[in-house]
Structure formats: structure tokens, C-alpha cells
Amino acid sequence: QVQLVESGGGLVQPGGSLRLSCIASIPSGFTFSNYGMRWYRQAPGKQRELVAGISSTGGSTNYPDSVKGRFTVSRDNTKNTVYMQMNSLKPEDTAVYYCNAIRNFLQYWGKGTLVTVSS
């Protein structure tokens, strides 16, 4: 069972930056580099949405238009950790951010970290 723990959320003013981290505990027999990683977010009253994805090797990333150019996902496979640098934050970025690991159509979720963008 993959376990994911997010950190780095908090309160930030509009235009500010935050860096989220997600550290993974991987079961024996597998390695972190076996898993594609994604960040999702869910704002109050809204559906969960994908905000960033990164391939198992880190060689490929993808973002929706809503965050492209502002958010950057990266990973360090030696530390079993995926990051998301969020710049130029807007009030509409306020949400709980979740880390997601995927391998062979099996998905695992963290419990989330709250990001609040407000003056």
C-alpha cells in the first residue's frame, strides 16, 4: 500500500508563492520511480481537478491552462518526493491540494494540504 503525505500548504497573499511537497512510502518490491505522480485540488463546493502531472522518470509534465506558467511540478526519485512550486497565486487557487500516485491503473491518495490565497 502506497502512503502519501502532503505538506507545505498555508495562507498566502495574492501574488505570493508556495511550495508543496508529497513524500511517498512505497511497498517492498516497488520503487517510487514506478509511479506516475499527480497533484489535484478541490475547492469548496467544486469537483476535484487535476492541476499537474509528472511521469515516473520526471521527463514529462502536464498542466491545465488554469495553472500553466504559474505551477511547476518536479520530483526527486532519490527522496521519494514530488513537489509543486506555485507562483503568482490567485484567490481562485484556494483549495485542498492532494497528491496522487498511479501505477497500472491503481491510484493512491494523500489526505491533502490546505492552500488559502487571501489578503
Side-chain angles (χ1 to χ4, degrees):
Q1 182 79 358
V2 175
Q3 294 184 332
L4 304 170
V5 179
E6 303 94 336
S7 61
L11 174 64
V12 62
Q13 292 187 340
S17 298
L18 281 175
R19 188 193 196 203
L20 304 184
S21 300
C22 171
I23 188 164
S25 296
I26 305 296
S28 177
F30 299 94
T31 64
F32 185 59
S33 60
N34 291 145
Y35 296 83
M37 299 298 296
R38 301 170 181 174
W39 286 97
Y40 286 78
R41 69 184 179 188
Q42 188 166 19
K46 295 188 177 181
Q47 290 187 334
R48 192 172 294 190
E49 62 171 340
L50 176 68
V51 292
I54 187 166
S55 63
S56 57
T57 63
S60 176
T61 59
N62 62 280
Y63 309 90
D65 288 343
S66 58
V67 307
K68 195 172 292 183
R70 300 189 298 121
F71 290 11
T72 303
V73 62
S74 60
R75 65 190 295 162
D76 185 341
N77 286 348
T78 67
K79 296 181 179 179
N80 286 12
T81 302
V82 62
Y83 306 96
M84 187 161 68
Q85 178 68 41
M86 304 187 297
N87 299 327
S88 302
L89 284 162
K90 305 174 182 180
E92 52 263 43
D93 294 319
T94 295
V96 178
Y97 284 72
Y98 297 91
C99 182
N100 169 274
I102 184 168
R103 178 181 180 274
N104 291 346
F105 304 105
L106 292 175
Q107 297 193 53
Y108 306 90
W109 294 89
K111 293 183 178 181
T113 185
L114 176 63
V115 172
T116 303
V117 185
S118 175
S119 55

